[in-house]
Amino acid sequence: MSTLPKLTKFNDNVLSKYQIYNSIFITLPFDTINNTGVLLPLFHKVCEKGFKNGKNPTEIVEKFFKKYQDTPSEKDKKDLLFQFIQYIERQVVLFDAIEDAAFPVVNNMDGFGTLRNSKESATLSGKDEALKKYLEDFKVRVVLTAHPTQFYPGSVLGIITDLDKAIQNDDLLLIKKLLAQLGKTPFYKKSKPTPFDEAVSLIWYLENVFYHSVSKIHNYIQEHVYDGQPTENEIIDLGFWPGGDRDGNPFVTTQITLDVAERLRQSILRNYYRDVRRLKRRFTFDGVQEILSRVEKRLYKHVVRSYAKVNFSKEILLEELENAREIVIKNHDSLFIDELNDVINKVRIFGFHFATLDIRQDSRVHHKAFTQIVDDLLASGDTTFPKNYQRLSPEEQVEVLALVKGNIDPSILSDEMSVKTIESIYALKTIQQRNGESGANRYIISNNQTALNVMQTFAMLNLCGFENELPVDVIPLFETVEDLENASDVMRTLYSNKAYRYHLSKRKDKQTIMLGFSDGTKDGGYLMANWGIFKAKEALTKVSREFDIEVIFFDGRGGPPARGGGKTHQFYASLGPTIEDKEIQLTIQGQTISSNFGTLDSSQFNLEQLISSGIKNEVFTKDQINDTNREIINDLANTSYRTYVDFKNHPQFLSYLEKMSTLKYYAKTNIGSRPSKRSNSDTLDFSALRAIPFVGSWSQLKQNVPGFFGVGTALKKYEDADRFDEIVAFYNASDFFKTLLENSMMSLTKSFFGLTAYMADDPVYGEFWKLIYEEYKTTKRLLLKLTGHKELMENYPEGKASIAMRESIVLPLLTIQQFALKKIQDLQQSEGNEAEIEVYEKMVMRSLFGNINASRNSA
């Protein structure tokens, strides 16, 4: 089976099985409407044929009712469309489960990009020692975020997991029962989750997936790269944002932060407790049994009575397990030693914290809160700050902030946000005392623009009673095109500050810097965002090396290419020697968590791909962009940027999104605790609009503008100048440029302008729609010309087949959504019945779920 092409394996193990199980699914009775499952395939065919013949969604829906329904009432029509939505939502779940079950068959778990492949390549090329040395320092950190792109409630995730196993075992009876359960399980959440609810949902992945896949990878490296000897490097770290990410989320409180940290601690200790109980069944030997019984009792006290005052820590637990290991080796012939080593490695990796809880807040909020803190301290007679502090220049303020120390009492502060900000820092201290320093030791400043933004945070941390060295990394997040360009100057100012440089010396001379792909694309377009981040990384690497500091880049990536997603590991494999690459850090969120890390197989495979991308870049090859190609991509990015900015400044840009897309319905879906925009204004402000609903709304329209707009115009400039051969040569020479454009091709593949072609005749937005469509056609034509392909994603046939099947499943759903949007527009123009408008708005909102889930990386 492994020798078959991936497309053949995909067709045999995914498409064929879906057709079989879907035929069972659509015959199951879930509702009071007769023959819904029978009518859905008919509606699907009407949609396919209708769009092929240039019909609009309204014409398609009306034709279906005319052809297959006997004079239905308006209520009957709406009820059936809602039932179609429910069926399609569940068809997507079925396809997800089948694809997950087939993952280890379709993907070669020992093939290119896996650790086994990297180890064999190193051995064959005589680079075993180089590989070993590299892995002594290299790390991958994946950070789970609560950004709202995951529409499956926990009950549905459980069914997917069970379906996955049943499909792997070809258990037809159980599959049928699970499909029936799926049909009766609600998808819609009646109320928004709290940040704590979001944390609990994601901790499920930590306990059931990462706990096992991360340790399995670590064990493999220890056994096959280090010949069974322990390594001090954990290699994989886990990060966690729910409960700590305050940026634009007023519902994250200090208590929730503490509660999430405690839940993480309880979860990892519970897993250790289970493992130790299993070890006791194996290690029934003198000396070992006593140690394990003692450990079991201590873990039990912490799991059952979470705040038990028992002296226990990661270090104590490791000491106990290492003592047991020594006895097993010395007295019991190392019997079952691998099982004990596995638990020891887990404790080394996950500690008592499981995943590091990051704290994040916007620099603008910080600035306002900090200004008030200074005023309150001065008013109370405190002498920490000079009386003229607020009149000092930013440069002078930075010098003052570098030296402040204290133990501020939040009760003297007059501003609520100031109190919350200081309390969040005290919470960080509490978490470190409870879970260890790794429990929470990073403070991220989003929308960071200046050195002053960083130093205000640095000062606030030092005003909260940290004695001696500050055990926290202050991490600026640069997002906009302008901020990315200024990032190296900001860091030079910080590195030149003696107090801040001393702080870094106590943090192992390392500085983590976060870069935002999502907001970068929203601000500057696809090419400029990616090239801007690449250049920023080069400049930041250069200035950091100048000060003998190892810079670590933390990439804020979303799911789709428009937000830094796509084939992420290929990006890391294509970095050259001008960019520091000792660690790979990135956010994973929403559907990316479930699709790339939702099962043990997919998690292990994708984590290994990330590790191997670093190995490839450092140990085997370095992909460096030469000066000629650098000029080309710089020119392409600037041309694309100007095109995108002109598009963004179009007088109809915001109103098109507001009136013709699903943008305003994201906030009503109850999938995330965070508001869809940062401000409370009733009017749409682009700067306050979050990247997720922005990108997601284009995805729902099947236009995917952020993933390609401006690319076609930039390429056409070279075609018009008879220089297109230079682009072709660059594409063939640079993995970075190739990956960049291939990810854009994925955005184009997921576009379908036939869905919204009716907008071309709209009296208000017709010309604007045509503007988008022309750029799409230009980009598609020139990318095909560049690659020499006849179809998009021709070189990834199994990925293309998966996208095609998912797009086919939701075609009726997209049709219903557009039909409902048009109905709403018509009713609003004619001042129609509010109750009827509400029904169609609910239809739009409900159709979001299946469309998002089917895309897997749409927002």
Side-chain angles (χ1 to χ4, degrees), residues 624-633:
Q624 190 163 5
I625 301 174
N626 62 38
D627 291 341
T628 300
N629 288 337
R630 184 175 290 271
E631 287 181 17
I632 291 173
I633 192 170

Side-chain angles (χ1 to χ4, degrees), residues 608-732:
E608 286 191 19
Q609 292 286 321
L610 285 171
I611 294 172
S612 295
S613 68
I615 293 171
K616 178 181 182 294
N617 187 40
E618 182 65 29
V619 178
F620 295 113
T621 59
K622 282 284 189 182
D623 178 48
Q624 190 163 5
I625 301 174
N626 62 38
D627 291 341
T628 300
N629 288 337
R630 184 175 290 271
E631 287 181 17
I632 291 173
I633 192 170
N634 204 57
D635 184 46
L636 288 170
N638 284 323
T639 303
S640 174
Y641 177 63
R642 288 191 296 271
T643 304
Y644 178 77
V645 169
D646 287 346
F647 172 67
K648 196 173 64 172
N649 291 334
H650 192 287
Q652 290 180 326
F653 180 83
L654 284 178
S655 62
Y656 179 82
L657 268 179
E658 199 166 23
K659 294 179 181 177
M660 304 300 280
S661 82
T662 58
L663 180 65
K664 62 184 178 183
Y665 298 100
Y666 264 81
K668 301 178 182 180
T669 54
N670 293 331
I671 56 166
S673 67
R674 207 166 65 158
S676 60
K677 56 182 181 178
R678 287 181 169 88
S679 69
N680 295 319
S681 172
D682 291 332
T683 58
L684 185 59
D685 177 7
F686 184 78
S687 63
L689 180 61
R690 294 195 176 281
I692 289 171
F694 174 72
V695 173
S697 296
W698 290 113
S699 174
Q700 293 284 319
L701 285 169
K702 306 312 292 180
Q703 293 175 4
N704 289 323
V705 159
F708 72 83
F709 202 93
V711 176
T713 298
L715 293 175
K716 191 173 185 299
K717 177 181 176 181
Y718 280 75
E719 182 186 49
D720 292 344
D722 290 327
R723 295 178 59 192
F724 202 74
D725 58 326
E726 296 176 34
I727 304 293
V728 174
F730 183 17
Y731 177 82
N732 291 327

